Amino acid sequence: MNFSFDEEIILENSFVLLRPINKTDLDHLLPVATKDEDLLQFSPAQICTRELLKTYIDTAVENKINKNRYAFTVFDKTGNRFAGSTSFLNISNPDDRLEIGSTWYGKEFQKTGLNRNCKYLLLQYAFDTLEAERVEFKTDERNLASRNAIEKIGGQFEGILRRHTLMSDGFRRNTICYSILKPEWAALKKHFLEHNEK
């Protein structure tokens, strides 16, 4: 696998556009990030104020420069609106694997097909362009909506990392691990976008 942090990765179909996040996205994402205080209830990073979102975006931009996370801004083409963010992270070229995560969308974009289209583009890039062997997903054990969404796209449950991540409120969460492997993607992608999330 040869993932490059220096490449300008733009992924899109008729439904959604993913492009590298940048500092000008603060005003684009602010209405979505601040609309619901509990949007990132199960995430270690919070975005519910302008200051918190600015820190989130600044960190994401810095992470790309430091080559440890590649964050995207998600744009809903059907509604012509910015919807949230998602990332490639925990990238290991020698092991031919990466993780898709740090994903959030405004509540109005959930269960609309947006997530499935985003995941399709990210998985297609990982498996078909980068030729990854494995894509990982992790989420808070308590985040049933996220677990459901991962399972719906074909993520296979692998286990629980106990008391794995320290949350902003001091709680130590258990992290659930899932994966999709290259042979599984070959079967999944044929009908991936036919499923209805509603």
Side-chain angles (χ1 to χ4, degrees):
M1 195 175 85
N2 188 25
F3 185 93
S4 172
F5 280 89
D6 299 323
E7 190 179 334
E8 189 82 353
I9 303 169
I10 295 174
L11 307 173
E12 71 178 309
N13 61 16
S14 59
F15 204 102
V16 68
L17 166 70
L18 305 179
R19 62 150 175 78
I21 202 166
N22 62 63
K23 294 189 179 190
T24 64
D25 285 321
L26 177 60
D27 288 327
H28 297 147
L29 293 172
L30 192 63
V32 182
T34 57
K35 191 171 184 179
D36 181 1
E37 206 172 291
D38 294 329
L39 185 62
L40 292 191
Q41 176 185 1
F42 298 111
S43 172
Q46 294 301 308
I47 55 166
C48 58
T49 67
R50 184 180 187 88
E51 295 72 27
L52 288 170
L53 181 63
K54 183 180 184 305
T55 299
Y56 182 91
I57 292 172
D58 288 349
T59 301
V61 170
E62 200 175 296
N63 283 341
K64 183 173 180 280
I65 293 166
N66 294 333
K67 302 182 190 265
N68 54 28
R69 175 164 71 109
Y70 196 110
F72 297 91
T73 297
V74 177
F75 184 76
D76 178 2
K77 291 171 78 171
T78 62
N80 201 34
R81 295 182 298 166
F82 288 88
S85 180
T86 191
S87 300
F88 285 131
L89 58 160
N90 294 321
I91 297 156
S92 176
N93 283 322
D95 297 310
D96 299 322
R97 63 172 162 79
L98 51 73
E99 180 181 339
I100 294 172
S102 295
T103 301
W104 56 271
Y105 315 113
K107 291 272 175 78
E108 65 268 39
F109 301 98
Q110 297 173 20
K111 298 186 178 179
T112 64
L114 180 88
N115 180 58
R116 185 169 283 275
N117 277 271
C118 284
K119 291 301 190 292
Y120 179 81
L121 292 171
L122 293 165
L123 287 164
Q124 184 181 49
Y125 186 79
F127 286 119
D128 299 341
T129 302
L130 296 175
E131 299 185 345
E133 287 292 329
R134 166 187 174 86
V135 172
E136 301 168 351
F137 306 86
K138 297 186 185 82
T139 194
D140 190 315
E141 181 182 35
R142 303 166 296 168
N143 192 345
L144 299 181
S146 177
R147 290 170 63 176
N148 242 359
I150 295 168
E151 288 166 13
K152 275 186 179 178
I153 63 162
Q156 299 295 306
F157 174 78
E158 292 192 323
I160 302 175
L161 303 174
R162 298 179 301 159
R163 295 177 62 81
H164 176 251
T165 301
L166 181 64
M167 306 298 278
S168 57
D169 61 1
F171 179 80
R172 293 203 70 91
R173 82 173 200 191
N174 293 340
T175 297
I176 303 278
C177 302
Y178 294 89
S179 70
I180 295 175
L181 305 180
K182 188 189 246 179
E184 294 163 351
W185 171 245
L188 283 171
K189 70 178 176 180
K190 294 174 190 170
H191 306 289
F192 198 87
L193 293 178
E194 290 174 10
H195 298 278
N196 191 336
E197 283 190 290
K198 292 179 183 177

